[in-house]
Amino acid sequence: MSTDHRVLLLGGTGRTGSRVLTQLLDRGVPVRAIVRSAQRLPATAAGHPLLEVVEADLLTMPTAALVAHLDGCDTVISCLGHTISARGLFGAPHLLVERSIRRVHEAIEVRPPAAPVRLILMSSVSVHLPDRADTRRGRGERAYLGALRAVLPPARDNQRAADLLAREVGTADPHLQWVAVRPDTLVEGDVSAYDVHETLVASIFRPDHTRMANVAHLMGELATDDATWQRWRGRMPVVVDTEAPLPAPSP
Ligand SMILES: NC(=O)c1ccc[n+]([C@@H]2O[C@H](COP(=O)([O-])OP(=O)(O)OC[C@H]3O[C@@H](n4cnc5c(N)ncnc54)[C@H](OP(=O)(O)O)[C@@H]3O)[C@@H](O)[C@H]2O)c1
């Protein structure tokens, strides 16, 4: 597999993924985006010379096709998520994120890269670190989240995707390195001041907030700045705004 500085983006039509896409293009980073429909890409990105669009179903495309799409990409960013609708939340595929990450991992193993591919996963503060390493998450929160994961497939999916990276890929894989970025409640707004923490800083019952633009900014830093990558690789940083959220628009 040949590698270059190019990002393979999954979920680039979503609320956060579209911000990741535009910010990467603004930084001059070439992007290959696998999307279900190119029509849902942000208008500012359409026809951009640094953007290559692949219209395909990530979960059903042949492995050989995914291997080919990974060619030349040193970084993969996933902003996949279940659409907020009854079908998106409760319909198939229940394990969209976990299955997608597993497919990427398997495709990388088919044609191992010269240097490890860097995977940046959009995760959530609802996800906790393995082995109770998030000391702030007490028994009550764990019980609540356990019940939530039992009834809400996306909550289960996010934890399973993170567990796949932490427990199966680990930190010594010769072909895949990863960072799982954990934002709190997603809000609108331009890039602003934000903090990145090793572990949870707020309770799930008293949530913090994170601008989607700030998630995209951190992902852009991880994709382009080696020191930032080395600081967080194999970890699940929590990203939260340091400014109050914008007031909701009046009706
Ligand atoms: N809501 C929050 O406050 C919050 C907080 C922290 C973390 N998160 C997590 O952050 C992630 C991204 O959230 P978001 O709100 O930015 O996502 P979003 O706007 O719902 O976008 C989801 C993306 O996933 C794609 N997708 C959905 N189902 C798919 C499928 N079956 N096959 C292929 N692609 C599919 C969508 O593509 P289409 O355009 O084709 O539908 C879209 O690009 C989610 O995992 C979410 O759980 C959310």
Side-chain angles (χ1 to χ4, degrees), residues 25-58:
L25 295 175
D26 286 349
R27 286 173 186 256
V29 177
V31 178
R32 182 176 293 148
I34 301 180
V35 296
R36 293 194 289 188
S37 168
Q39 288 185 341
R40 287 201 282 275
L41 284 165
T44 48
H48 196 289
L50 291 175
L51 175 62
E52 185 189 333
V53 180
V54 177
E55 259 186 333
D57 184 337
L58 178 68

Short mmCIF file of all heavy atoms in Angstrom, two decimals, residues 25-58:
data_model
loop_
_atom_site.label_atom_id
_atom_site.label_comp_id
_atom_site.label_asym_id
_atom_site.label_seq_id
_atom_site.Cartn_x
_atom_site.Cartn_y
_atom_site.Cartn_z
N LEU A 25 -9.97 20.77 4.01
CA LEU A 25 -9.71 21.39 2.70
C LEU A 25 -9.11 22.79 2.89
O LEU A 25 -8.18 23.17 2.16
CB LEU A 25 -11.01 21.45 1.87
CG LEU A 25 -11.59 20.07 1.49
CD1 LEU A 25 -12.94 20.24 0.79
CD2 LEU A 25 -10.63 19.27 0.61
N ASP A 26 -9.61 23.53 3.87
CA ASP A 26 -9.04 24.86 4.16
C ASP A 26 -7.57 24.77 4.57
O ASP A 26 -6.79 25.69 4.33
CB ASP A 26 -9.83 25.57 5.27
CG ASP A 26 -11.18 26.06 4.79
OD1 ASP A 26 -11.42 26.04 3.56
OD2 ASP A 26 -12.01 26.43 5.64
N ARG A 27 -7.22 23.66 5.23
CA ARG A 27 -5.81 23.46 5.64
C ARG A 27 -4.95 22.96 4.47
O ARG A 27 -3.76 22.76 4.63
CB ARG A 27 -5.73 22.40 6.75
CG ARG A 27 -6.20 22.84 8.12
CD ARG A 27 -6.20 21.63 9.05
NE ARG A 27 -6.77 21.90 10.36
CZ ARG A 27 -6.06 22.07 11.48
NH1 ARG A 27 -4.75 21.99 11.46
NH2 ARG A 27 -6.66 22.31 12.62
N GLY A 28 -5.60 22.67 3.33
CA GLY A 28 -4.85 22.19 2.17
C GLY A 28 -4.59 20.70 2.19
O GLY A 28 -3.68 20.21 1.51
N VAL A 29 -5.40 19.96 2.99
CA VAL A 29 -5.21 18.51 3.08
C VAL A 29 -6.10 17.81 2.04
O VAL A 29 -7.32 18.03 2.02
CB VAL A 29 -5.60 18.01 4.50
CG1 VAL A 29 -5.49 16.49 4.59
CG2 VAL A 29 -4.74 18.68 5.56
N PRO A 30 -5.53 16.96 1.19
CA PRO A 30 -6.36 16.19 0.25
C PRO A 30 -7.25 15.20 1.01
O PRO A 30 -6.81 14.56 1.97
CB PRO A 30 -5.34 15.45 -0.62
CG PRO A 30 -4.02 16.09 -0.35
CD PRO A 30 -4.09 16.66 1.02
N VAL A 31 -8.49 15.09 0.57
CA VAL A 31 -9.47 14.22 1.25
C VAL A 31 -10.14 13.32 0.22
O VAL A 31 -10.54 13.77 -0.85
CB VAL A 31 -10.55 15.08 1.95
CG1 VAL A 31 -11.60 14.17 2.61
CG2 VAL A 31 -9.94 16.03 2.98
N ARG A 32 -10.25 12.04 0.60
CA ARG A 32 -11.09 11.10 -0.16
C ARG A 32 -12.28 10.78 0.76
O ARG A 32 -12.07 10.27 1.86
CB ARG A 32 -10.31 9.84 -0.51
CG ARG A 32 -11.09 8.83 -1.35
CD ARG A 32 -10.19 7.65 -1.74
NE ARG A 32 -9.12 8.06 -2.64
CZ ARG A 32 -7.89 7.51 -2.67
NH1 ARG A 32 -7.58 6.53 -1.85
NH2 ARG A 32 -6.98 7.94 -3.52
N ALA A 33 -13.48 11.11 0.33
CA ALA A 33 -14.65 10.93 1.19
C ALA A 33 -15.53 9.82 0.64
O ALA A 33 -15.95 9.88 -0.52
CB ALA A 33 -15.45 12.23 1.29
N ILE A 34 -15.81 8.82 1.48
CA ILE A 34 -16.77 7.79 1.09
C ILE A 34 -18.12 8.20 1.67
O ILE A 34 -18.27 8.34 2.90
CB ILE A 34 -16.36 6.40 1.64
CG1 ILE A 34 -14.98 6.00 1.10
CG2 ILE A 34 -17.41 5.35 1.26
CD1 ILE A 34 -14.48 4.64 1.59
N VAL A 35 -19.08 8.43 0.79
CA VAL A 35 -20.40 8.92 1.22
C VAL A 35 -21.50 8.11 0.54
O VAL A 35 -21.30 7.54 -0.53
CB VAL A 35 -20.59 10.41 0.88
CG1 VAL A 35 -19.59 11.28 1.62
CG2 VAL A 35 -20.48 10.66 -0.63
N ARG A 36 -22.67 8.12 1.17
CA ARG A 36 -23.80 7.44 0.53
C ARG A 36 -24.35 8.30 -0.60
O ARG A 36 -24.79 7.78 -1.62
CB ARG A 36 -24.90 7.16 1.55
CG ARG A 36 -24.46 6.15 2.59
CD ARG A 36 -25.63 5.62 3.38
NE ARG A 36 -26.20 6.62 4.30
CZ ARG A 36 -27.11 6.34 5.19
NH1 ARG A 36 -27.59 5.11 5.29
NH2 ARG A 36 -27.57 7.27 6.03
N SER A 37 -24.33 9.63 -0.40
CA SER A 37 -24.83 10.53 -1.44
C SER A 37 -23.98 11.79 -1.48
O SER A 37 -23.92 12.54 -0.49
CB SER A 37 -26.28 10.90 -1.17
OG SER A 37 -26.65 11.98 -2.01
N ALA A 38 -23.35 12.04 -2.62
CA ALA A 38 -22.51 13.23 -2.77
C ALA A 38 -23.34 14.51 -2.66
O ALA A 38 -22.81 15.57 -2.32
CB ALA A 38 -21.80 13.19 -4.12
N GLN A 39 -24.64 14.40 -2.90
CA GLN A 39 -25.50 15.59 -2.82
C GLN A 39 -25.58 16.14 -1.40
O GLN A 39 -25.94 17.29 -1.20
CB GLN A 39 -26.90 15.24 -3.31
CG GLN A 39 -26.93 15.03 -4.82
CD GLN A 39 -28.33 14.80 -5.34
OE1 GLN A 39 -29.22 14.45 -4.59
NE2 GLN A 39 -28.49 15.01 -6.63
N ARG A 40 -25.26 15.32 -0.41
CA ARG A 40 -25.34 15.80 0.98
C ARG A 40 -24.02 16.41 1.46
O ARG A 40 -23.92 16.82 2.62
CB ARG A 40 -25.78 14.65 1.90
CG ARG A 40 -27.25 14.30 1.73
CD ARG A 40 -27.79 13.55 2.95
NE ARG A 40 -27.41 12.16 2.96
CZ ARG A 40 -28.07 11.20 2.33
NH1 ARG A 40 -29.14 11.49 1.63
NH2 ARG A 40 -27.66 9.94 2.40
N LEU A 41 -23.02 16.46 0.60
CA LEU A 41 -21.76 17.10 1.00
C LEU A 41 -21.97 18.61 1.09
O LEU A 41 -22.83 19.16 0.38
CB LEU A 41 -20.67 16.80 -0.03
CG LEU A 41 -20.07 15.39 0.03
CD1 LEU A 41 -19.28 15.08 -1.23
CD2 LEU A 41 -19.20 15.23 1.28
N PRO A 42 -21.20 19.30 1.94
CA PRO A 42 -21.37 20.76 2.03
C PRO A 42 -21.07 21.44 0.70
O PRO A 42 -20.15 21.04 -0.02
CB PRO A 42 -20.35 21.17 3.11
CG PRO A 42 -19.42 20.02 3.26
CD PRO A 42 -20.15 18.79 2.83
N ALA A 43 -21.86 22.47 0.38
CA ALA A 43 -21.75 23.14 -0.93
C ALA A 43 -20.34 23.69 -1.16
O ALA A 43 -19.82 23.66 -2.28
CB ALA A 43 -22.78 24.27 -1.02
N THR A 44 -19.70 24.16 -0.07
CA THR A 44 -18.37 24.76 -0.22
C THR A 44 -17.32 23.72 -0.65
O THR A 44 -16.27 24.08 -1.19
CB THR A 44 -17.89 25.39 1.10
OG1 THR A 44 -18.11 24.44 2.14
CG2 THR A 44 -18.62 26.68 1.41
N ALA A 45 -17.61 22.44 -0.41
CA ALA A 45 -16.63 21.41 -0.75
C ALA A 45 -16.83 20.85 -2.16
O ALA A 45 -15.90 20.30 -2.75
CB ALA A 45 -16.71 20.27 0.27
N ALA A 46 -18.03 21.00 -2.68
CA ALA A 46 -18.35 20.39 -3.98
C ALA A 46 -17.39 20.90 -5.05
O ALA A 46 -17.18 22.10 -5.19
CB ALA A 46 -19.79 20.71 -4.36
N GLY A 47 -16.80 19.96 -5.78
CA GLY A 47 -15.90 20.33 -6.88
C GLY A 47 -14.54 20.83 -6.43
O GLY A 47 -13.72 21.25 -7.27
N HIS A 48 -14.25 20.79 -5.13
CA HIS A 48 -12.95 21.26 -4.64
C HIS A 48 -11.83 20.39 -5.22
O HIS A 48 -11.95 19.16 -5.24
CB HIS A 48 -12.92 21.18 -3.11
CG HIS A 48 -11.82 21.97 -2.49
ND1 HIS A 48 -10.49 21.59 -2.58
CD2 HIS A 48 -11.82 23.13 -1.78
CE1 HIS A 48 -9.73 22.47 -1.95
NE2 HIS A 48 -10.52 23.42 -1.45
N PRO A 49 -10.75 21.00 -5.71
CA PRO A 49 -9.69 20.20 -6.35
C PRO A 49 -9.02 19.20 -5.41
O PRO A 49 -8.42 18.22 -5.88
CB PRO A 49 -8.69 21.25 -6.85
CG PRO A 49 -9.03 22.52 -6.14
CD PRO A 49 -10.48 22.45 -5.78
N LEU A 50 -9.07 19.43 -4.10
CA LEU A 50 -8.43 18.49 -3.16
C LEU A 50 -9.38 17.38 -2.71
O LEU A 50 -8.99 16.51 -1.93
CB LEU A 50 -7.92 19.24 -1.93
CG LEU A 50 -6.73 20.19 -2.16
CD1 LEU A 50 -6.41 20.95 -0.87
CD2 LEU A 50 -5.51 19.41 -2.63
N LEU A 51 -10.62 17.43 -3.20
CA LEU A 51 -11.61 16.45 -2.73
C LEU A 51 -11.92 15.40 -3.79
O LEU A 51 -12.25 15.74 -4.93
CB LEU A 51 -12.92 17.17 -2.34
CG LEU A 51 -14.09 16.25 -1.95
CD1 LEU A 51 -13.75 15.43 -0.70
CD2 LEU A 51 -15.35 17.08 -1.71
N GLU A 52 -11.81 14.14 -3.37
CA GLU A 52 -12.23 13.02 -4.22
C GLU A 52 -13.41 12.35 -3.52
O GLU A 52 -13.32 12.02 -2.34
CB GLU A 52 -11.05 12.04 -4.34
CG GLU A 52 -11.27 10.89 -5.26
CD GLU A 52 -10.13 9.86 -5.15
OE1 GLU A 52 -8.99 10.24 -4.78
OE2 GLU A 52 -10.39 8.70 -5.39
N VAL A 53 -14.49 12.19 -4.24
CA VAL A 53 -15.70 11.63 -3.63
C VAL A 53 -15.96 10.23 -4.17
O VAL A 53 -15.94 10.01 -5.38
CB VAL A 53 -16.92 12.54 -3.92
CG1 VAL A 53 -18.18 11.96 -3.27
CG2 VAL A 53 -16.67 13.95 -3.43
N VAL A 54 -16.21 9.31 -3.25
CA VAL A 54 -16.57 7.94 -3.61
C VAL A 54 -17.99 7.73 -3.11
O VAL A 54 -18.24 7.79 -1.91
CB VAL A 54 -15.64 6.91 -2.93
CG1 VAL A 54 -16.07 5.49 -3.27
CG2 VAL A 54 -14.19 7.16 -3.32
N GLU A 55 -18.93 7.52 -4.01
CA GLU A 55 -20.31 7.25 -3.60
C GLU A 55 -20.47 5.74 -3.49
O GLU A 55 -20.44 5.03 -4.50
CB GLU A 55 -21.30 7.79 -4.64
CG GLU A 55 -21.90 9.11 -4.23
CD GLU A 55 -22.98 9.59 -5.18
OE1 GLU A 55 -22.93 9.23 -6.37
OE2 GLU A 55 -23.87 10.33 -4.73
N ALA A 56 -20.62 5.25 -2.27
CA ALA A 56 -20.69 3.81 -2.05
C ALA A 56 -21.23 3.53 -0.66
O ALA A 56 -21.24 4.42 0.20
CB ALA A 56 -19.29 3.20 -2.19
N ASP A 57 -21.67 2.30 -0.45
CA ASP A 57 -22.09 1.86 0.87
C ASP A 57 -20.89 1.20 1.55
O ASP A 57 -20.44 0.13 1.14
CB ASP A 57 -23.25 0.87 0.75
CG ASP A 57 -23.79 0.46 2.12
OD1 ASP A 57 -23.04 0.57 3.11
OD2 ASP A 57 -24.95 0.03 2.19
N LEU A 58 -20.39 1.88 2.55
CA LEU A 58 -19.17 1.44 3.23
C LEU A 58 -19.29 0.02 3.78
O LEU A 58 -18.32 -0.76 3.76
CB LEU A 58 -18.88 2.43 4.37
CG LEU A 58 -17.69 2.17 5.26
CD1 LEU A 58 -16.41 2.34 4.48
CD2 LEU A 58 -17.72 3.10 6.46
#
